[in-house]
């Protein structure tokens, strides 16, 4: 079975625009998030022109905006616009730091409720957004949330579409004027593309290890790149050998699927020679731990150990599609970490692309080995303007920060802020962690130039980051995102079904777009 034959559910939510006044609007339901205590008659006065029945509907008595409260108020069924769903958001006011998260969640909940009721369409009146301040930003995020809430994670079941929770067919934004304002249209499209990026990353990340191995994954990347005019180069094991990727190759030695390095480049006209923004994503298609074998409980989750590369690929595809006016390069070092007579062993010394020798003490610390070669290669080939790597790198980071925060390690304060604000815009949050120089001594090896993993678990996310930093040349601005535990959600949430989350894809997209909106 190849990935393209898998039963991905078509979850496209067509985005439409209704102009020309309220009497031209139609949809199964209007989605209206509400703060607790908000006087909807005042704050959404224009909604009452589109749905005059709200003036007298008895159900309006129950609309309070309390958190988690959803009310649908009905008009005569013959009306083209006869249901309004009020989604309570509680008391968190707009000035608070996480208001956008609250709004995203509200729209997603509303959309899921509409799905559960077998509606086929929903509507957002532009006038209902203006009370939130920046209407364009809110529209962008509303569309983002609705497209994600309407999507279902990739499945490999032989169920038919009808047996699954139904999806909506379209979402419309309604305007009172004759024309659709260009800025609103752009905002909606931008939110739509952001959501499709995350969906793409989720689909790739959810693919089992037997569907995407380094070879088939590289092919998939090539095929997706071709569709979007993204330049794609794939180095196979021979090329990697010839060019000295000794650390990367060591990780894949126990697998019957040889390693690959996928190189993607977006270089629009006039920007061909500029120093690129470089993304690197960890692409371990399955991490058994190798000879330092992992315990079997939860080992199946290690098919998600290529989430960093999935985020990188998905973001690149959208950046190319959007023709962003800057040069962006991405590297996806791919390998499968397996035990075998040929596999790398604890105690082995390998030589990486930088020519440094590396003592491998625990074959389960494989991510940093593929990443260090990619970092060295990127820095020698391109002199990156900025380098960002994303990896499900350490269980220690998951222990430190839990499942809502990614770890951010960065050698430049301004870049750290850029990453955090891109993440905030994306609804993906990062906590800055220290590159504490005192711990570099933990990486000293008695036999090689560097040891890839410190003895003991303490500070494991930091020592992993310090190992990577060793390969970043002085003066190169670099950020490392450790997203272990964020790649997978253990429960359904309004914006994401249980399973692959696609975390970091949108952060990279916002970075590539050139800053938070
Ligand atoms: N892919 C794992 C990290 C991981 C753990 C990701 C849990 C997602 C959830 C990584 O390759 C790994 O095994 N790291 C080891 C490093 C250790 C051997 C120094 C770890 O975290 O235990
Ligand atoms: Mn591992
Ligand atoms: Zn791993």
């Amino acid at each position: 079975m190849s990935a393209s034959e898998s039963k991905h559910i078509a979850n496209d939510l067509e985005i439409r625009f209704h102009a020309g006044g309220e009497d031209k609007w139609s949809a199964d339901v209007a989605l209206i998030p509400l703060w607790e205590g908000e006087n909807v008659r005042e704050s959404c006065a224009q909604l009452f022109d589109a749905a005059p029945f709200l003036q007298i509907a008895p159900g309006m008595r129950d609309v309070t905006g309390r958190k988690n409260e959803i009310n649908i108020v009905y008009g005569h069924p013959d009306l083209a616009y006869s249901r309004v769903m009020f989604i309570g958001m509680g008391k968190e006011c707009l000035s608070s730091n996480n208001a956008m998260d609250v709004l995203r969640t509200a729209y997603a909940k509303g959309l899921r409720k509409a799905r559960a009721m077998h509606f086929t369409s929903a509507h957002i009146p532009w006038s209902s957004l203006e009370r939130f301040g920046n209407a364009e930003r809110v529209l962008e995020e509303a569309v983002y949330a609705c497209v994600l809430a309407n999507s279902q994670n990739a499945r490999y079941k032989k169920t038919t579409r009808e047996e699954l929770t139904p999806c909506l067919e379209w979402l419309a934004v309604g305007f009172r004027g004759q024309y659709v304002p260009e800025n609103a249209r752009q905002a909606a499209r931008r939110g739509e593309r952001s959501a499709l990026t995350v969906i793409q990353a989720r689909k790739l990340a959810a693919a089992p290890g037997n569907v995407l191995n380094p070879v088939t994954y590289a092919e998939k990347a090539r095929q997706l790149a071709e569709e979007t005019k993204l330049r794609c180069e794939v180095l196979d094991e021979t090329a990697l050998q010839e060019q000295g990727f000794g650390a990367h190759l060591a990780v894949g030695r126990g697998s019957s699927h040889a390693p690959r390095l996928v190189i993607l480049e977006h270089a629009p006209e006039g920007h061909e020679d500029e120093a690129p923004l470089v993304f690197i994503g960890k692409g371990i298609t399955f991490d058994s731990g190798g000879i330092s074998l992992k315990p079997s409980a939860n080992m199946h989750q290690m098919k998600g150990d290529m989430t960093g590369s999935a985020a990188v690929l998905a973001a690149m595809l959208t950046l190319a599609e959007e023709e962003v006016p800057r040069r962006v390069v991405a590297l996806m070092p791919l390998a499968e970490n397996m035990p075998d007579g040929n596999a790398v062993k604890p105690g082995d010394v390998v030589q990486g692309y930088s020519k440094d020798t590396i003592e491998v003490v625990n074959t389960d610390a494989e991510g940093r080995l593929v990443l260090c070669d990619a970092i060295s290669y990127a820095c020698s080939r391109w002199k990156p303007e900025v380098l960002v790597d994303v990896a499900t790198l350490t269980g220690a980071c998951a222990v430190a920060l839990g499942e809502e925060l990614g770890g951010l390690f960065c050698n430049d304060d301004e870049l750290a802020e850029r990453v955090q604000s891109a993440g905030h815009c994306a609804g993906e949050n990062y906590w800055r962690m220290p590159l504490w120089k005192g711990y570099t001594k933990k990486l000293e090896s008695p036999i090689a130039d560097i040891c890839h993993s410190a003895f003991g678990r303490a500070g494991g996310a930091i020592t992993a980051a310090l190992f990577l930093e060793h390969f970043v040349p002085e003066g190169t601005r670099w950020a490392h995102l450790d997203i272990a535990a964020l790649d997978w959600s253990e429960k359904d949430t309004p914006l994401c079904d249980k399973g692959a989350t696609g975390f970091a894809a949108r952060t990279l997209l916002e970075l590539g777009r050139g800053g938070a909106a």
Side-chain angles (χ1 to χ4, degrees):
M1 178 173 54
S2 79
S4 55
E5 289 163 18
S6 70
K7 292 259 177 193
H8 293 317
I9 308 305
N11 42 34
D12 304 352
L13 182 69
E14 189 195 330
I15 308 299
R16 296 185 182 174
F17 301 92
H18 292 168
E22 293 88 349
D23 52 332
K24 299 281 194 309
W25 297 358
S26 68
D28 284 344
V29 65
L31 302 179
I32 311 289
L34 213 59
W35 303 109
E36 185 172 347
E38 190 176 347
N39 182 337
V40 65
R41 279 188 177 73
E42 280 169 20
S43 65
C44 293
Q46 295 174 342
L47 177 66
F48 287 69
D49 298 336
F53 58 86
L54 294 177
Q55 308 276 9
I56 51 161
M60 282 305 283
R61 286 193 310 185
D62 297 335
V63 175
T64 68
R66 278 194 290 262
K67 202 169 181 72
N68 297 326
E69 174 187 282
I70 291 186
N71 286 298
I72 302 179
V73 180
Y74 293 85
H76 193 279
D78 287 351
L79 295 169
Y81 203 82
S82 68
R83 296 185 196 94
V84 177
M85 186 193 295
F86 293 99
I87 306 140
M89 296 190 288
K91 284 195 171 125
E92 275 149 309
C93 70
L94 249 191
S95 59
S96 80
N97 197 23
N98 67 342
M100 206 57 101
D101 282 327
V102 176
L103 278 164
R104 271 189 285 256
T105 305
Y107 280 105
K109 275 187 186 163
L111 195 111
R112 282 187 187 262
K113 175 78 180 163
R115 276 175 71 184
M117 295 183 75
H118 292 231
F119 294 163
T120 59
S121 60
H123 190 274
I124 297 177
W126 172 253
S127 61
S128 73
L129 302 173
E130 282 158 346
R131 74 204 146 105
F132 296 128
N134 188 342
E136 279 140 49
R137 265 294 286 148
V138 177
L139 177 59
E140 176 183 348
E141 297 307 318
V143 170
Y144 174 76
C146 287
V147 174
L148 284 184
N150 198 49
S151 76
Q152 257 157 339
N153 263 340
R155 288 174 197 236
Y156 293 75
K157 292 180 193 254
K158 59 184 190 304
T159 35
T160 61
R161 215 179 156 164
E162 288 68 38
E163 290 171 286
L164 296 161
T165 318
C167 296
L168 265 63
E169 287 164 18
W170 52 270
L171 169 73
V173 189
F175 300 88
R176 292 162 67 98
Q178 279 311 109
Y179 304 102
V180 179
E182 197 45 35
N183 53 351
R185 187 190 294 273
Q186 298 278 347
R189 289 293 175 215
R190 198 174 134 110
E192 180 186 20
R193 286 190 306 270
S194 301
L196 294 176
T197 306
V198 175
I199 291 170
Q200 176 67 268
R202 287 179 186 171
K203 277 186 177 173
L204 292 166
N210 64 328
V211 173
L212 290 186
N213 61 51
V215 178
T216 54
Y217 190 14
E219 266 322 301
K220 178 83 187 166
R222 194 200 290 278
Q223 173 210 327
L224 290 168
E226 256 164 35
E227 289 165 14
T228 45
K229 292 188 296 182
L230 197 55
R231 203 178 308 155
C232 177
E233 215 181 308
V234 177
L235 304 190
D236 63 11
E237 67 271 36
T238 318
L240 291 170
Q241 204 128 37
E242 282 166 6
Q243 297 189 46
F245 288 79
H248 183 170
L249 285 166
V251 174
R253 276 211 329 246
S255 168
S256 51
H257 309 289
R260 293 285 184 270
L261 178 66
V262 178
I263 305 165
L264 303 164
E265 180 172 5
H266 166 68
E269 221 180 294
H271 300 266
E272 295 94 338
D273 298 322
E274 74 189 18
L277 172 58
V278 177
F279 297 145
I280 299 179
K282 173 176 173 182
I284 302 299
T285 60
F286 183 70
D287 179 13
S288 70
I291 298 295
S292 314
L293 196 63
K294 286 181 182 296
S296 24
N298 298 330
M299 199 204 272
H300 64 282
Q301 287 178 351
M302 284 301 124
K303 68 174 183 174
D305 211 17
M306 36 60 82
T307 298
S309 64
V312 163
L313 173 55
M316 282 303 279
L317 293 167
T318 304
L319 290 171
E321 207 174 274
E322 292 185 352
E323 298 177 355
V324 297
R326 69 194 298 172
R327 189 171 176 213
V328 192
V329 167
L331 298 180
M332 301 161 58
L334 310 182
E336 186 182 59
N337 188 21
M338 293 289 276
D340 175 76
N342 213 21
V344 67
K345 302 174 292 297
D348 283 1
V349 174
V350 301
Q351 187 172 39
Y353 189 89
S354 72
K355 297 280 182 274
D356 281 327
T357 55
I358 304 163
E359 184 187 8
V360 178
V361 292
N362 183 331
T363 64
D364 197 11
E366 83 298 336
R368 60 196 80 182
L369 292 176
V370 302
L371 291 172
C372 74
D373 274 0
I375 290 171
S376 304
Y377 180 72
C379 293
S380 78
R381 179 164 169 189
W382 292 290
K383 304 260 174 305
E385 190 251 328
V386 156
L387 182 64
V388 182
D389 78 73
V390 187
T392 45
L393 201 63
T394 65
C397 198
V399 171
L401 296 176
E403 61 290 313
E404 286 189 18
L405 286 171
L408 165 64
F409 296 86
C410 189
N411 63 4
D412 181 275
D413 292 346
E414 191 264 340
L415 174 61
E417 237 165 76
R418 245 164 81 190
V419 173
Q420 277 179 313
S421 91
H424 188 257
C425 163
E428 298 170 341
N429 296 305
Y430 301 90
W431 197 263
R432 185 121 182 234
M433 300 281 278
L435 285 161
W436 182 251
K437 295 296 173 286
Y439 295 156
T440 49
K441 58 180 173 287
K442 291 180 185 242
L443 297 173
E444 282 166 11
S445 162
I447 186 170
D449 295 323
I450 188 168
C451 179
H452 81 142
S453 170
F455 179 77
R457 302 167 61 93
I462 302 173
T463 47
L466 286 171
F467 177 80
L468 297 180
E469 192 184 27
H470 175 86
F471 298 87
V472 178
E474 194 69 42
T476 301
R477 297 195 295 158
W478 160 73
H480 157 58
L481 309 180
D482 191 334
I483 60 162
L486 291 152
D487 58 317
W488 210 254
S489 171
E490 281 306 323
K491 54 180 200 301
D492 288 336
T493 67
L495 286 149
C496 185
D497 286 342
K498 176 179 161 128
T501 61
F503 193 89
R506 191 173 168 196
T507 302
L508 298 178
L509 176 61
E510 299 300 349
L511 278 172
R513 281 169 168 172

